[in-house]
Each structure stands twice: as C-alpha cells, then as structure tokens.
Amino acid sequence: MRQIIVLDPNSEAAVRVQKLISAWNTKESQHYQAIDITSVSSEAEDIVYESTHLGSTGQLRVLIKRNFTRLLRDKMTFNARVAHSIVISVFVGLIFFQLELKQAGIQSFTGAIFFIVLDQFMSAANPEFVAVPLEMPIMTREYNSGLYHSWVWYLAKNLSELGFQAFYPLLFFIPLYFMVGFGPSNPKLFFSMYLFLILTQSCATGLGYMVSCVSSRAALTPIFGIMTILPLLMFGGLFLNASMVPVYFTWLEFLSPIKYGFRGACREFWSSIDSIPCGANEVCSARTGQEVLQNLAMDKGSLSSDAAFLVWINILFRLIGIVALYLRIRVKH
C-alpha cells in the first residue's frame, strides 16, 4: 500500500487510496491484538493445567483410594473370599481335628501344614490371573488421556491390596489353628506361621500380577497360571524330597514360594516339638521335631532365610509384571 504513487493528493483516487491504507492499518492492529490475547489466554490455560495436573504422588493417592473403594464395593467377590476362608477352614479343621502327636500323626500334621499353605497360595493367585486383562481397557483409555503413568497405576494396585493379603489368611488361620491343635498355648507359633501365610499369599498375588500382565487375554491367563503353578507345586517340599531334586531343576526351588512357605511353617511347628512318643511295636520314623525336619530335608537354612526368599520372590514376580505391562503399552503405541 505504501508503494502506491499518487500524483494528485487531492484527487478522488488519492482519497480512496488513503481510506484503503487506513483500513489496512486498522485491520493489522486488530489482528496483532487478537494474537496477543490468544497468547495470553494460552499461557493462562497452561498455568491452570500445570497447577491442577496431579503429580506422581497425587496420582498414586487417588488410584489407591479408588482401587480400595472398588474392592470394598465389590461385595460379591469380598463375601465369596470371606466365605471361602471360613468354610474351608472349618472343613479342613474337622478333617484334621485335634491331631495327636504320635508317629502316625507326623504325616497328618505335615499334610495339614502343606494344605494350609497351598490353599492360601491358590486362593490368592486365581483371582489375580484375570484382574489385569479385565482392567486393561479402562487403564489404557485413562493412560492415553494422560491421567496417570502406567507404573503409578501398577504400584497403586499393589499397595491397595496389601491389607487384604493379611486379612484373608488371618480369617482362615484362626479357627484352623485351634481345631487342628498346633499349639493353643503358644502365641509365638501362631504368629510365626501366620507370618509365613501372609508372605505366601503375597507371593501368590505377585504371581497373579505377573501372569496377567504377560498374557493379553483374560481367557488364557488361568491356563498360563496353572502351567506356572504346577512346577512350583512339585518342588514345594511335600511331593518330592528336597534332597532328591534333580540337579538340572534345582534352580526351580529358588522360585517356589510354596516351598519356602511350607518349609518356614513346618520349621516353626516342628522346632517347637521336643519329643514324639513312639510305642514298643511302632516304627519310629522320628522321635523329635528336628528329626522330622531332617527326614523332610528341611533342616537347612533358617526361618529368616525362608522369609527372605519369600520376599525376594515376591519382588521378582511384581517386577516382571510391571516390565510386561510397560512393554504391552509401548507395543500398542
């Protein structure tokens, strides 16, 4: 506009050109003002977003609360787990009711301990096999919306269920402990065995997380779960004596929570038995609790080492789970 040359500044054409120049300048100034307003509003929106967007700690807190509330509101699952704990406990207690400490009772006491550990392991692992695949659609949608990180969701799920991993074993073990007759007047024995049940159930939950994160289909995870549990069960310490494990499978022992849960509970119980009666016409397989542990090849290590193995296996399962979850989400993107 400024390059237009007008010979007569008072002519009608010059007046029209001057009006065009004024209109152009007015339009340019309005345009730049709009840009400034948009920039300011955009910066304000960014500030508001940053101030309202939760950090990792806030995300973790909200997700823990939401998941814990969901678990409490799922009354059908909660009532089923409670009913299972009470009914199975009473039923097994009636089978092993007030066992006598004698030679024939060695097998019964050992079998009762193994069943208790196995029940707590299976009852905790099975529900978790389908947990992650069923929750993945919601989690993926919220993750894509930028609501939280995947590791925060996984950590919140782990933390929100820790209380239940202590509640269900307690509900199961209290009636069974006194019905079997492990040691009604020995609180140390009760809490020691209860501790191993908590650690075993927590490991089972970690195994469930791992399998469900590795598998992408809810229909297949129970199959993969059983395939994973069976080797751990075989090396649990009851079906196969620990001293007779093939050399090429010894590494599997270090991955079996059932073994360390069973060995820890057995070690605690039989270590409290000073003598086992043996009649004149009986075959005396063991006269003390320590001899029982030797026959089962459970006299090596210590209670603290059994607990430590359960802790590290639990951590291993959960770490594999978060890595598998991360890879699944990354592949989808």
Side-chain angles (χ1 to χ4, degrees), residues 111-289:
I113 295 173
F114 185 80
F115 180 85
I116 291 171
V117 172
L118 181 61
D119 175 83
Q120 291 301 289
F121 188 85
M122 297 294 293
S123 63
N126 283 331
E128 301 301 337
F129 286 149
V130 296
V132 174
L134 292 178
E135 296 178 26
M136 275 302 294
I138 298 177
M139 182 268 179
T140 303
R141 183 170 64 251
E142 294 177 344
Y143 172 80
N144 292 335
S145 300
L147 294 180
Y148 47 73
H149 302 289
S150 59
W151 67 267
V152 175
W153 177 85
Y154 185 80
L155 181 60
K157 183 173 179 60
N158 280 258
L159 294 177
S160 62
E161 297 183 5
L162 287 178
F164 294 97
Q165 295 165 23
F167 171 71
Y168 292 125
L170 181 64
L171 191 64
F172 174 81
F173 192 52
I174 287 178
L176 190 56
Y177 179 83
F178 294 100
M179 292 180 72
V180 174
F182 285 114
S185 60
N186 191 345
K188 178 179 178 297
L189 175 61
F190 172 84
F191 286 107
S192 297
M193 295 180 71
Y194 171 57
L195 173 62
F196 278 100
L197 292 185
I198 293 176
L199 294 175
T200 302
Q201 184 163 115
S202 185
C203 282
T205 304
L207 176 67
Y209 291 157
M210 181 187 73
V211 173
S212 60
C213 286
V214 171
S215 176
S216 59
R217 298 179 59 182
L220 297 178
T221 48
I223 300 175
F224 294 149
I226 296 299
M227 292 174 59
T228 307
I229 288 176
L230 284 178
L232 304 180
L233 179 62
M234 292 302 299
F235 296 100
L238 182 69
F239 301 119
L240 180 64
N241 192 285
S243 62
M244 301 183 67
V245 176
V247 178
Y248 44 85
F249 278 139
T250 52
W251 60 275
L252 275 174
E253 287 188 291
F254 298 100
L255 298 176
S256 176
I258 300 175
K259 171 190 174 179
Y260 295 105
F262 175 53
R263 190 171 78 173
C266 266
R267 192 197 302 274
E268 185 63 33
F269 172 70
W270 288 116
S271 296
S272 66
I273 305 300
D274 296 326
S275 63
I276 303 173
C278 183
N281 298 323
E282 285 186 301
V283 177
C284 301
S285 59
R287 293 181 178 273
T288 64

